[in-house]
Amino acid sequence: MGDTMEVYTGTEVHVEHVDRLASGGARFDITAEDGRKWRVDVTRDGGMDVVTTWRDGTLADVDVPEWFDDVIARLRHQ
């Protein structure tokens, strides 16, 4: 389940809604085609917090790429 979107770099990412946040907003899993994955909270006021990250299914410290703002902006408008 979820949606696939292409960002401005041509990278395809899979976005899956995980849960609603008690304070408003929602939690999403965002997976890039290269195996990086981020679990993020998008708050009701449009803020974003990275909850955890993975690389190839293993917990890892994964930086947020430049195109990430594009994905978050699209999620805010949904």
Side-chain angles (χ1 to χ4, degrees), residues 9-25:
T9 62
T11 301
E12 285 192 357
V13 296
H14 181 77
V15 179
E16 185 173 341
H17 178 260
V18 175
D19 204 0
R20 294 180 124 181
L21 301 177
S23 60

Side-chain angles (χ1 to χ4, degrees), residues 29 35-39 50-63:
D29 283 348
R36 294 177 294 168
K37 179 178 177 180
W38 301 264
R39 177 160 288 169
V50 176
V51 177
T52 192
T53 58
W54 297 266
R55 182 177 300 280
D56 298 321
T58 302
L59 284 173
D61 188 17
V62 179
D63 290 332

